[in-house]
Amino acid sequence: MNQQTWYCADCGGREIHHDAAVKWNPANQEYDVVTVHDGTTCTTCAGAPDNFKPYAGSPVFGIPPEPADTVKVQLALTVEYTPNGCSTESLVELLSGVASSAAMAGQLTGESPAEVAEWTSTVAVLQAQ
Ligand SMILES: [Zn+2]
């Protein structure tokens, strides 16, 4: 369905925040929107919460272009540890860090022109001690 919505003309993101005035509603115990202002932020372009850049991206209202074709690829890495006193939790944390480090170092795309649309990682204990 091609419905008009807010999207980012830079990255295609659909998570757009709008500046607004709100007032507290004691009956509902939540904020009510009074009015929506012009300021917008693409939360994808704005970056991580600890380095959030307000008004990032180019939010526009319209029919977003169809998303580009994507391909989903999965890496399965199985490690059998001799823990030597390390807890299973700490070993799970180590493997989780491998995925994060690779993503942060740009190793998911390397020197290729490919772009990462989304990545997730899951670490599971296959055989407990
Ligand atoms: Zn964006």
Side-chain angles (χ1 to χ4, degrees), residues 14-91:
R14 309 268 173 101
E15 290 294 318
I16 307 299
H17 286 190
H18 301 261
D19 287 355
V22 296
K23 69 177 179 186
W24 181 249
N25 182 331
N28 298 342
Q29 289 294 296
E30 58 188 26
Y31 290 105
D32 290 338
V33 175
V34 175
T35 186
V36 177
H37 298 301
D38 291 336
T40 55
T41 301
C42 167
T43 60
T44 303
C45 291
D50 62 342
N51 192 26
F52 194 84
K53 298 171 199 71
Y55 309 112
S58 301
V60 293
F61 186 76
I63 296 174
E66 292 295 318
D69 287 339
T70 59
V71 60
K72 233 174 219 183
V73 180
Q74 183 177 46
L75 164 70
L77 168 68
T78 304
V79 181
E80 184 173 342
Y81 286 104
T82 301
N84 291 328
C86 294
S87 69
T88 301
E89 292 76 25
S90 69
L91 297 173

Side-chain angles (χ1 to χ4, degrees), residues 92-103 121 123:
V92 165
E93 200 169 299
L94 277 172
L95 279 188
S96 296
V98 168
S100 297
S101 297
S121 74
V123 178

